[in-house]
Amino acid sequence: MVHLLCKTFLILVNLSVALSIAKASLIHISGPRIAVQYSKIQLRCMASTGQKHFLWYFSSNGSAAAQYPKEPLSSHPFSAIRFDTHGAMLTIRAVDRTHVGSYRCCATDTLCATMSLFVVSATDDPSELRPTDSLGGGGVAVLDVQSDGTFELAIFHAPLLEGEISLEREAGAVRFCDHFRHRAEECNEQRTNGVVAYSVRNATMEASAQFQVKITNNKRLEVMHLHILIRGKPIVRMDTYCVLRNLSHINLSCQGYAYPTPNVTFTYTPCLPTAMDRLSDIQRDACEKSITVPQHLERLSPFNHTTIFEVIIPSWPVLKPGIVSCRASNGEGSSSIETLLFVRNFHEPMQFRIESPTDVVLYDDTVNITCQADVYNFTNQLTIHHGGSSFHLAGEQLGYAWTITYLAHITNDSQNEVVCEGQHKNGTRVRSTLNLSIQYPSKPHVVSVNDSVNVTIAHGDAVRLECDIDGTPSPDIVWFKNDAHLRHAQGHFVRVALDEDETRATYRCVGRSRLGRATKTWYIVVEESMRWLLIGGLGAGALIALLVIGTVAWSVGAYQQLLHRQMDLETQLRMSKENVADELMTVPLSQRNYNTPGMGSSLVHEA
């Protein structure tokens, strides 16, 4: 009996726990758990059981039910709190530290939900803390710090149940003061009853970053994203632009750090390329009037809640080389930077190449070589070293490079190296070496014995043709069929098949180089017996069928003729018998001779 009572008691306890959990799941409170001081927040109580009237209770000492006052908030002289018609919505028009604590919403005496509210505040006067949305429940806030980089921040909280409060940088989970220790003169953290306070002195604008306020209370984690932005004069930078002369447009870009977001202006100053040695030594009298780029062409990159900025002018037309400048201004000051825009014939400072021949260098060739050095860094004095001799030449400006041409006649291996030397404006000499790979000439020729081949194929078959024409330089291969150029055929191999109505075709490959040409020909014929066998396969089958039918018909006719002949013989014999009988009837019995030779045997045969 005692065992049964204990078992019943345990069942009732479990049922009570299950009912309490079910009731808790039927009602809940939505809204921010971490709010920005002086912002407007709204807490909404919702129940899935159909209740429309709710009562709110508040406790600044914790979330235990015994700590809540018996009187609901509707009769409490609590400033800046409003309710909607049914009490489901609780609105705090300007939240502050007096609102920190635990809130309880009840649909009935036993159907209730609770939540804790924490408040983050900038406790120094110059700094401004604001939420990123109209209601302070978006989970994101911005702390606007003055340019001196000094600010104080506090997190107000009620007593925590197995809880913890921390402030960390999002990137790398670095603790707050560890982040500012190398970017400010001082950072302190202080924890007292109900407050976690931070103070920073003389932080730089580069110390601006995104942090997370993390609060763990009663095994529940609440997070607020906090962007700390320190005001400062813009810091700008630009890269040097180097574009090729055939490029018509480029993107101008100016990046840097600034808060608030700066106003950016671009200017472009065309200059003579020969005057653009270095930015510090540029000859301003060799430049034209500056052009201010219209600001409506600018595109500001959307870096929200950060000190990073980038402004781009897309597709700016490249007219001439010159100077590009960027000026950024905000309420903290202005700064500018200049960079050079180089237009080049090629990317490298010097270019040394063979213009002709374009394939390979052969013995007894005359090689046309050009040497170029950009006009920005080099003088027009260039020197060619070849075959033990030196040739001093003055370069001609072609585009944005000093250019010379040198003709080298190659007769032996000692002439395989050519060196071009340029005079840099800083006084040094820069060399570029060209190594020639010299080969013996060989005219295009057919490698195999025969330059014409007869090929017989069955109808419908394909054949692989190899054009074994070689030479130095390597010949270009061109294919023809019946004197028509096969544009799709390339290289030394091609696979061909004749059309259904073709019986023969001529294929040719021609190998060409600057030394001459060679030709190989294939005469392709379709084998007739095979062709008729394949093409007339169906007809041959029909012919065999006709032969079979004819043979059968002939056999039937011969058999019918044999039957007719047999019938004719039988008729003749019957008529002979009748004639003999008639003759016997006319002879007297005494004179009848039954042993007449021939007649008797015939009769006997008939019998």
Side-chain angles (χ1 to χ4, degrees), residues 245 273-274 345-346 351 370-376 378-383 392-406 420:
R245 61 183 299 185
T274 53
N345 293 9
F346 39 83
Q351 188 178 78
T370 59
C371 181
Q372 295 180 302
D374 72 65
V375 298
Y376 304 104
F378 291 86
T379 68
N380 67 340
Q381 298 302 308
L382 299 170
T383 303
H392 302 283
L393 304 172
E396 177 186 0
Q397 184 176 346
L398 295 179
Y400 301 97
W402 302 116
T403 304
I404 61 171
T405 300
Y406 174 70
C420 179

Side-chain angles (χ1 to χ4, degrees), residues 80-92:
I81 289 186
R82 296 291 183 271
F83 301 92
D84 62 2
T85 305
H86 303 293
M89 179 78 76
L90 183 152
T91 302
I92 304 177

